[in-house]
């Protein structure tokens, strides 16, 4: 049997109660509901016990109309523990059936599968508000005319009004370094966990220590009032909550072996060009290292070399320890080599692979590498 839960939600959510269909005028009598939410924005849901009781009456009614004996239908219904048991009809297999009963089972199951229970939509549910539930057999030749019954909502609690916002109501998280950070601001009071970053931050990038972020309490209240909460927020356009960014780590770092790494790149590049007699390749020895960046949580190193109006970028998996760069992968004995002793340059790496017009760099082949990225740490180059 098809079931639809029709929930009466506050404001725009409406009534949706997942139920199965039923029969004549008295079949909805005694239906019981659970009411959740607060007065004016409530939810009504048929209890599980009441749901099963309603559909057992439906089964007896439609079984009678399908000309199944009362004895068989009573035994079948009494042995079912769920609405799905009434729908699938497997319980008939355990009963002694006469030929006339067997002929009616198919008709019974056909009508049960097409009987549905719906509730009218509502803009909000208040204590004492009436809502209608309609029972319909949608078969081509229904066993009964549509039945409608009216119920009243009750037991909905009062909504708590929130008129003040404190900085302690919010949790701030950041990612990145000074001048290259992103921030997330969450409202975490009263059991909520709502992302309100967009109300405070117009452009969430390149954030620095000392930057201030402000939102009006009116905007916060509007965002937090979704009609489905136990709290009603109110604010004013001239009242604000302000945060000041602090604690971002530096976006620059000194690496003790950056010169040694630079020399290793240039030496291996020259050796590759000489070994393969490579032409139309760039030799970093003929240029200079213009930028060295740590990204991806300081686990990736990008080196940028300029040779006239052409450029190369090399990327390495690394680890930083006490301002020294080591290879990213450990040796078999668990140790790590210094990067200048482990890096490898292939001749294929020596083809021009990005263009530059000031900052940022633009990688021709894959993606834009912005040195203003949120997690970039610049290595100081003398």
């Amino acid at each position: 049997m098809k079931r639809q839960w029709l929930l009466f939600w506050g404001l725009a959510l409406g009534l949706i109660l997942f139920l199965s269909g039923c029969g004549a005028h008295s079949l909805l009598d005694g239906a019981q509901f659970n009411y959740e939410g607060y007065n004016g924005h409530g939810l009504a849901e048929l209890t599980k016990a009441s749901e099963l009781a309603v559909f057992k009456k439906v089964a007896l009614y439609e079984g009678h109309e399908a000309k199944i004996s009362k004895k068989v239908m009573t035994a079948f219904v009494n042995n079912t523990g769920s609405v799905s048991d009434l729908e699938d009809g497997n319980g008939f297999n355990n009963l002694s059936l006469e030929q006339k009963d067997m002929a009616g089972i198919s008709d019974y199951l056909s009508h049960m599968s097409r009987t549905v229970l719906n509730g009218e939509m509502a803009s909000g549910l208040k204590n004492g508000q009436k809502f209608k539930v309609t029972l319909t057999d949608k078969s081509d030749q229904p066993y009964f005319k549509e039945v409608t019954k009216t119920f009243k909502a009750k037991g909905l609690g009062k909504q708590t009004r929130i008129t003040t916002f404190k900085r302690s109501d919010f949790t701030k998280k950041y990612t990145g370094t000074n001048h290259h950070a992103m921030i997330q601001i969450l409202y975490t009071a009263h059991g909520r966990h709502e992302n309100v970053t967009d109300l405070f931050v117009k452009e969430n990038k390149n954030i620095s220590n000392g930057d201030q972020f402000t939102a009006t309490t009116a905007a916060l209240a509007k965002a937090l009032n979704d009609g489905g909460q136990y709290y009603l927020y109110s604010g004013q356009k001239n009242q604000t909550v302000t945060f000041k960014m602090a604690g971002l780590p530096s976006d620059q770092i000194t690496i003790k072996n950056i010169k040694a790494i630079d020399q290793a790149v240039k030496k291996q590049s020259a050796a590759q060009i000489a070994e393969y007699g490579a032409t139309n390749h760039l030799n970093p020895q003929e240029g200079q290292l213009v930028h060295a960046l740590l990204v991806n949580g300081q686990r990736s190193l990008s080196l940028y070399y300029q040779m006239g109006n052409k450029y190369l970028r090399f990327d390495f998996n690394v680890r930083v320890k006490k301002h020294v760069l080591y290879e990213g992968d450990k040796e078999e004995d668990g140790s790590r080599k210094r990067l200048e002793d482990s890096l490898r340059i292939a001749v294929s790496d020596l083809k021009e692979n990005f263009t530059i017009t000031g900052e940022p760099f633009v990688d021709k082949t894959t993606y834009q590498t912005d040195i203003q990225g949120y997690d970039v740490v610049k290595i100081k180059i003398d």
Side-chain angles (χ1 to χ4, degrees), residues 315-331:
D315 297 313
F316 303 99
N317 184 20
V318 298
R319 296 294 183 273
V320 183
K321 185 177 181 181
K322 295 182 179 180
H323 294 274
V324 174
L325 286 177
Y326 294 86
E327 64 178 341
D329 298 326
K330 292 182 179 181
E331 300 294 311

Side-chain angles (χ1 to χ4, degrees), residues 94-161:
N94 301 320
L95 303 176
S96 298
L97 302 175
E98 296 182 7
Q99 187 64 35
K100 62 177 182 179
D101 295 322
M102 297 176 64
I105 289 174
S106 178
D107 290 339
Y108 158 78
L109 294 175
S110 176
H111 282 264
M112 283 289 284
S113 66
R114 291 171 173 81
T115 303
V116 294
L117 187 61
N118 295 317
E120 67 176 8
M121 302 302 290
S123 61
L125 194 60
K126 300 182 292 187
N127 286 324
Q129 180 179 347
K130 296 179 180 180
F131 59 96
K132 294 180 180 179
V133 176
T134 302
L135 189 64
T136 309
D137 180 354
K138 294 187 175 182
S139 304
D140 293 337
Q141 295 180 325
Y143 281 156
F144 57 87
K145 294 181 180 180
E146 187 171 86
V147 177
T148 299
K149 188 171 180 64
T150 301
F151 299 88
K152 283 186 179 181
K154 60 183 179 180
L156 295 170
K158 291 184 178 180
Q159 191 177 28
T160 301
R161 183 175 292 273

Side-chain angles (χ1 to χ4, degrees), residues 284-317:
Q285 280 195 334
E286 299 173 359
Q288 70 179 81
L289 178 64
V290 290
H291 279 290
L293 310 176
L294 287 171
V295 296
N296 191 25
Q298 300 190 22
R299 291 176 176 267
S300 297
L301 169 69
S302 294
L303 301 177
Y304 297 86
Y305 285 85
Q306 178 180 1
M307 288 136 286
N309 63 348
K310 297 184 177 181
Y311 303 87
L312 287 175
R313 188 184 89 191
F314 301 95
D315 297 313
F316 303 99
N317 184 20

Side-chain angles (χ1 to χ4, degrees), residues 4 42 103:
Q4 299 176 346

Side-chain angles (χ1 to χ4, degrees), residues 350-371:
L350 303 176
K351 285 284 191 179
E352 181 184 6
N353 58 23
F354 73 93
T355 58
I356 179 175
T357 305
E359 297 175 352
F361 296 108
V362 178
D363 180 2
K364 280 184 175 179
T365 57
T366 53
Y367 57 89
Q368 180 174 333
T369 303
D370 186 347
I371 67 169

Side-chain angles (χ1 to χ4, degrees), residues 231-246:
Y231 300 96
L232 178 63
Y233 296 86
S234 62
Q236 303 295 326
K237 290 183 178 179
N238 60 351
Q239 294 178 344
T240 60
V241 179
T242 299
F243 297 103
K244 185 176 182 179
M245 189 69 244

